[in-house]
Amino acid sequence: MFCVIINLYHVHLQAIRGQHEILMKALLLEEAGLDPKIVSRDLPIPILGTRDVLVKVKACGFCHHDALVMSGVLRRGIDLPLVLGHEVAGEVAEVGSEVSTVSLGDRVVCLPSNSCGSCQECRRDREDRCTNKRGLGHGIHGGFAEYIKVRESTLLTLGPQIDWIHACLLACPIGVGLKAMDQAAQIKAGETVVITGAGGGLGIHILQATKDRKAKVLAVTSSPKKVALLRDLGADQVLIRGELDFSEVVLALTEDRGADVVLDTVGSVLFPSTFRCLGRNGRYVALGEIAGMEVSLNLAELIFRSSSVIGSVGVTKMDTDKAIQLVTQNKLSPIISHVFPWKEILEARKLLQKGEVLGRIVLQPNNF
Ligand SMILES: [Zn+2]
Ligand SMILES: [Zn+2]
C-alpha cells in the first residue's frame, strides 16, 4: 500500500510538470548580517537532469555553517538569495531518466556537497574531493525546502531503523567527524584524545566514536550543564573552560606528556591552548572554526615536538556508511537538542550562538 501511494504521487508530479511550473515552499536567506532576512517563499520545484534525483525533505540539521552564512561571516561562493541547509534526510520523489542506484520512495541521506560521480576523485570514492562539487545550502539551494535536487552520486539509502531527525545527521556532522578521526588523526586504541567543543554537534559524536576506537577521551566544554551527558557518553574526563587554562589540566592528566591527538571543533578562539595540549608526535586536527580569526603558531614548537597540524573538511560515502553502521548497531547515538519547524530558524541561530545547543538542532518542514 505504501508503494502504491508513493507511485501515485510520482505520477501526479510528472503529469502536472508537463503543463505548469509547480511550486514548493522554501526558506530563503535574502540578506545576511547581524539581523538576517530569511523568509518562506514559493519556488519552482527543480527540473531534473538525467542523473538527478528530487528528494522530499523530511528533516535538515542546522549547522554552524548555516549560522555563519546567515551572519555574513562566510561569504565566499555564496550567492543570495539562497536556501540554506546541507544536513538532509528525505524520501526520493522523482528520478532522472538515467538514475539507477535509487528508486521512488527510497529513504535517503545526502552528502553535504553535490558530487558529480564521474571525475577522477569521485571514481576513487573521494566524493569529498570532487572537482565539480557544489555545497548544498552554499553553492546551490539546500535542504530548508520541501524538495531538494541532488545528483544520485550524492545519496546513500537507509533502512527503516533510523528515523528522520536522526538520519539527517549521518553525513554531517557524524560522517565528517569520522573522516577527521580516521583519515586525518588516525586514532589508535589506547591513545589520549582531546576534543574541544565536546558538547557541540561535531564534538558530541566524535566523542562517542573515539570511545568506540578504545581511546582515552578528555572532553573540553564551555558549559557545566553538559558535563553529566558527556560523562554518560564515555568521556574519561570533562574539562570546563574557565579560569584555569585547560591545557594545564591536560598536561597534569597526562604526566606532562600531552595528548596524542587534539580534535578541535572550535578553532581560533581556543588557540594556543589547544596546541599546548599536544604531546610529542601528536596530531592536531582542525575541523571547525566558529570565529574566523587568525592564530599565531611557534614553528620551533611544531618542529621539536615532531607534531602535525592537519585540516579536515567534508565527508565521503564511505564515512557516512560507517556512521550508518555505528548508529544501527547502537554504538553511536545522534544527539538532538531541539526539533523546530522552519519558522523557528532565527531561534535556532540564537541558541547556537549562545552555546546552549547540546548536539544538533534539527529543522523540519512546517507542514510535516
Ligand atoms: Zn553540517
Ligand atoms: Zn566528482
Side-chain angles (χ1 to χ4, degrees):
M1 185 60 192
F2 180 69
C3 293
V4 171
I5 291 168
I6 294 293
N7 286 335
L8 283 176
Y9 174 78
H10 176 65
V11 169
H12 178 67
L13 191 63
Q14 292 282 46
I16 297 174
R17 271 194 192 286
Q19 302 153 27
H20 311 283
E21 184 177 70
I22 44 176
L23 300 176
M24 64 174 182
K25 293 281 179 210
L27 202 57
L28 211 56
L29 177 67
E30 295 188 337
E31 285 171 29
L34 280 178
D35 188 16
K37 185 176 171 197
I38 188 156
V39 285
S40 178
R41 300 272 188 226
D42 287 332
L43 294 184
I45 292 185
I47 305 290
L48 301 186
T50 55
R51 291 169 54 216
D52 290 332
V53 175
L54 190 70
V55 175
K56 185 171 174 57
V57 177
K58 296 291 189 178
C60 186
F62 184 75
C63 189
H64 266 289
H65 181 279
D66 300 309
L68 292 171
V69 175
M70 285 170 80
S71 61
V73 171
L74 208 54
R75 292 167 193 269
R76 201 190 304 169
I78 286 166
D79 219 358
L80 298 184
L82 177 70
V83 179
L84 299 175
H86 59 265
E87 301 180 355
V88 183
E91 201 169 78
V92 174
E94 193 180 0
V95 293
S97 57
E98 291 177 18
V99 168
S100 60
T101 54
V102 294
S103 309
L104 294 179
D106 278 356
R107 304 177 85 243
V108 289
V109 58
C110 303
L111 293 181
S113 289
N114 207 20
S115 54
C116 75
S118 50
C119 72
Q120 200 179 6
E121 297 292 354
C122 282
R123 287 201 304 273
R124 292 170 50 224
D125 298 324
R126 289 303 306 255
E127 298 87 2
D128 57 324
R129 294 182 180 174
C130 171
T131 46
N132 305 308
K133 73 175 180 180
R134 295 180 76 191
L136 312 183
H138 190 116
I140 53 174
H141 284 327
F144 297 138
E146 284 183 88
Y147 295 93
I148 184 171
K149 178 177 90 168
V150 290
R151 290 195 199 99
E152 72 173 321
S153 51
T154 301
L155 295 173
L156 290 95
T157 51
L158 294 168
Q161 304 92 332
I162 309 176
D163 61 24
W164 295 121
I165 60 166
H166 294 122
C168 69
L169 306 188
L170 290 165
C172 181
I174 301 174
V176 168
L178 291 172
K179 185 191 136 185
M181 284 174 49
D182 292 344
Q183 290 185 30
Q186 302 187 7
I187 294 168
K188 299 170 202 67
E191 288 193 315
T192 299
V193 180
V194 171
I195 300 173
T196 62
L202 262 173
I204 210 158
H205 299 110
I206 292 173
L207 186 159
Q208 297 177 66
T210 305
K211 281 315 292 179
D212 186 59
R213 304 287 198 281
K214 311 267 185 288
K216 180 178 177 183
V217 175
L218 309 182
V220 181
T221 179
S222 58
S223 171
K225 288 187 214 158
K226 297 180 180 177
V227 172
L229 181 67
L230 295 177
R231 286 220 176 95
D232 286 349
L233 291 173
D236 295 276
Q237 297 281 345
V238 181
L239 284 50
I240 300 171
R241 282 164 52 197
E243 288 174 9
L244 185 61
D245 187 326
F246 62 85
S247 64
E248 298 292 335
V249 185
V250 170
L251 290 171
L253 290 169
T254 55
E255 295 166 354
D256 280 337
R257 285 194 312 276
D260 301 296
V261 173
V262 175
L263 294 171
D264 185 11
T265 74
V266 177
S268 51
V269 292
L270 298 186
F271 217 84
S273 294
T274 34
F275 191 68
R276 251 187 249 126
C277 294
L278 206 58
R280 289 186 71 79
N281 306 308
R283 288 91 74 201
Y284 168 92
V285 180
L287 67 161
E289 171 53 53
I290 61 172
M293 298 186 302
E294 294 196 357
V295 300
S296 118
L297 175 65
N298 183 334
L299 289 177
E301 285 191 42
L302 187 75
I303 294 165
F304 288 115
R305 285 192 231 172
S306 283
S307 50
S308 316
V309 176
I310 312 162
S312 181
V313 69
V315 56
T316 65
K317 279 187 171 179
M318 199 173 65
D319 304 307
T320 308
D321 202 42
K322 281 187 210 165
I324 294 170
Q325 301 306 321
L326 285 172
V327 172
T328 307
Q329 294 163 11
N330 293 318
K331 291 179 176 170
L332 189 153
S333 303
I335 306 291
I336 313 275
S337 68
H338 305 77
V339 180
F340 286 149
W342 284 348
K343 61 180 185 206
E344 303 292 342
I345 191 167
L346 292 174
E347 179 63 20
R349 173 178 175 253
K350 207 184 293 175
L351 290 175
L352 198 65
Q353 286 174 333
K354 281 199 231 162
E356 290 180 7
V357 177
L358 188 62
R360 259 299 182 263
I361 295 174
V362 171
L363 302 186
Q364 290 192 299
N366 292 2
N367 60 351
F368 188 77

